[in-house]
Amino acid sequence: MTNTLWKYFTGEHHKEFVLSLGLLGDTGWPAGKQLRCLYAVSNHTERHYTRLTIPKRDGTVRELLSPDPLLKKIQRNILRNVLEELPVSLHATAYRRGSGILENASPHQGRKQILKLDIRDFFGSITYLMVYRSAFPRIYYPPSVATLLAHLCCCRDYLPQGAPTSPAVSNLVMKPFDDHVGKWCKERGITYTRYCDDMIFSGDFDAGPVIRKVRSFLLSMGFELNEKKTQVLGSGKRQSVTGIVVNKKPQVSRAYRDKLRQELYFCRKHGVASHLLRMNDRRYLPPEPEQVERYLNSLLGRVNYVLQVDPQNSYFMQAQETVRGMIKAKEYDGMWGDNPTEDDELSI
């Protein structure tokens, strides 16, 4: 069926199929203009990206390709109208509705051993052909439409990190790997999850055969293991999975919580603007209202992260409400209610 289904489609049918996907939204343009726009963009997607560099903790930089407003709009409609309907593996915990870092970490709680593996240059290793075959399978899309959609999701024949469609596409590309490795691990009593390019295995097992299995399968697909990031963590070490410590119960690391509580304390003691001057962080200087609001939103994001992992933490529940109130009221130079005690600074 997959080889003959579309042979009865005429050129007009293909045009109607593309238009039915609503890739440009409600522009009010005639059909011909919409099609010319879509094909013009797909033929030269590299012209619609801006290259950005973001510093990483290890001193290196991560390169992102940010699409311009037109391509971003098209990609968001591809994500909404096409990709979100396709099933991904249950072992994939990133970029999936109702799942995230906590769902990735929780299955590995209290295990004897954790093996962490990483895929080298994950998005850059996903080629146009992989996207074409996995994200827009022929059973659902005629070849001409799949070609258009795949080009709109790629840049120079690779999947760009920074495009709205790339995370969902990556999960579709990795579905055969996730399902096969997940089944292989289950037969051996090993728990497996994948969060983007991070693969986590836990249980009581010999790490060697797992590493060889994963390496072999990845190579057959066109990926490589980043051997430098391989980690084997026994129960006697701090077992961290996507930033969450899972030795006993899922918890953000004590160092992270201590640092965040210290920032909250100093904001209460000195006022936010004064605290930013003391920090001397160029991202938020000079501490004008716009910079202060950006900092408070960042602070709120970190508080929310702690509460995502530990929803009943009373200290951070109160901090969440306080920061939200400050953002809403724009009380950037004021105190946070009661004066803090010395115990507030670093206590957990």
Side-chain angles (χ1 to χ4, degrees):
M1 181 178 70
T2 58
N3 294 326
T4 60
L5 179 64
W6 305 113
K7 71 177 183 179
Y8 303 107
F9 257 46
T10 65
E12 286 303 312
H13 289 144
H14 285 272
K15 292 177 183 178
E16 291 174 7
F17 195 114
V18 172
L19 293 171
S20 73
L21 299 175
L23 302 184
L24 287 168
D26 186 13
T27 61
W29 292 354
K33 184 175 180 179
Q34 292 185 55
L35 291 169
R36 286 193 296 273
C37 176
L38 290 170
Y39 281 102
V41 173
S42 71
N43 288 335
H44 301 284
T45 53
E46 71 279 358
R47 299 177 183 176
H48 295 268
Y49 285 99
T50 299
R51 190 175 298 276
L52 306 174
T53 57
I54 298 177
K56 297 167 66 175
R57 293 180 181 178
D58 60 5
T60 61
V61 296
R62 174 179 286 109
E63 286 198 351
L64 300 180
L65 290 174
S66 177
D68 66 14
L70 174 59
L71 181 55
K72 183 177 291 186
K73 179 180 182 181
I74 294 170
Q75 290 173 338
R76 283 177 173 167
N77 284 323
I78 292 175
L79 178 63
R80 183 182 304 112
N81 302 337
V82 178
L83 298 175
E84 287 186 345
E85 300 300 320
L86 297 175
V88 300
S89 174
L90 294 177
H91 298 283
T93 56
Y95 319 130
R96 188 160 61 85
R97 190 173 298 172
S99 186
I101 56 172
L102 183 58
E103 286 71 25
N104 185 60
S106 295
H108 306 288
Q109 174 183 338
R111 308 306 293 272
K112 182 176 181 179
Q113 177 177 267
I114 288 178
L115 169 66
K116 301 168 68 172
L117 301 177
D118 180 87
I119 303 173
R120 186 192 304 276
D121 188 21
F122 180 54
F123 287 99
S125 298
I126 298 176
T127 65
Y128 164 84
L129 190 58
M130 292 178 178
V131 175
Y132 177 88
R133 290 174 174 173
S134 300
F136 311 108
R138 197 166 180 178
I139 190 171
Y140 299 127
Y141 300 97
S144 63
V145 177
T147 298
L148 172 67
L149 294 172
H151 276 300
L152 288 169
C153 291
C154 292
C155 180
R156 300 189 186 279
D157 293 330
Y158 290 92
L159 195 64
Q161 187 173 4
T165 43
S166 293
V169 169
S170 71
N171 275 345
L172 293 168
V173 169
M174 292 297 291
K175 187 177 187 302
F177 174 90
D178 291 333
D179 288 343
H180 177 80
V181 171
K183 181 180 178 182
W184 185 87
C185 286
K186 184 177 180 180
E187 292 170 351
R188 291 156 178 79
I190 304 170
T191 299
Y192 163 66
T193 63
R194 181 182 59 83
Y195 192 90
C196 189
D197 54 357
D198 293 324
M199 297 167 288
I200 310 298
F201 305 83
S202 66
D204 185 2
F205 60 95
D206 181 1
V210 178
I211 295 172
R212 290 191 291 273
K213 174 70 175 179
V214 171
R215 183 191 293 116
S216 175
F217 201 149
L218 287 177
L219 285 173
S220 72
M221 294 179 65
F223 295 100
E224 290 183 48
L225 270 183
N226 188 343
E227 306 284 355
K228 293 182 179 179
K229 291 191 175 182
T230 297
Q231 288 184 287
V232 180
L233 304 172
S235 57
K237 297 182 180 179
R238 190 182 76 168
Q239 297 175 327
S240 176
V241 176
T242 48
I244 299 176
V245 179
V246 294
N247 291 72
K248 294 182 179 179
K249 72 169 186 174
Q251 182 68 279
V252 176
S253 72
R254 184 183 182 93
Y256 187 97
R257 286 176 287 149
D258 281 354
K259 185 177 185 302
L260 183 53
R261 291 183 75 128
Q262 190 175 55
E263 284 193 55
L264 293 165
Y265 170 82
F266 285 127
C267 284
R268 292 167 64 184
K269 182 176 182 179
H270 303 296
V272 182
S274 298
H275 170 58
L276 292 179
L277 286 172
R278 290 168 177 264
M279 283 176 58
N280 196 30
D281 189 332
R282 293 182 179 180
R283 293 176 298 173
Y284 307 111
L285 295 178
E288 300 294 337
E290 181 180 349
Q291 283 77 13
V292 175
E293 185 169 355
R294 282 200 302 114
Y295 170 74
L296 284 175
N297 279 308
S298 169
L299 196 64
L300 179 60
R302 285 177 282 156
V303 171
N304 289 341
Y305 169 59
V306 174
L307 289 174
Q308 180 184 357
V309 180
D310 184 10
Q312 302 305 315
N313 188 304
S314 59
Y315 177 90
F316 286 104
M317 289 172 66
Q318 182 179 2
Q320 181 187 59
E321 292 305 311
T322 303
V323 179
R324 282 176 175 171
M326 293 186 70
I327 294 172
K328 184 176 181 180
K330 298 188 182 297
E331 296 173 356
Y332 300 142
D333 296 310
M335 296 294 187
W336 288 16
D338 297 336
N339 290 329
T341 66
E342 289 301 318
D343 290 339
D344 283 332
E345 184 172 348
L346 291 176
S347 61
I348 292 297

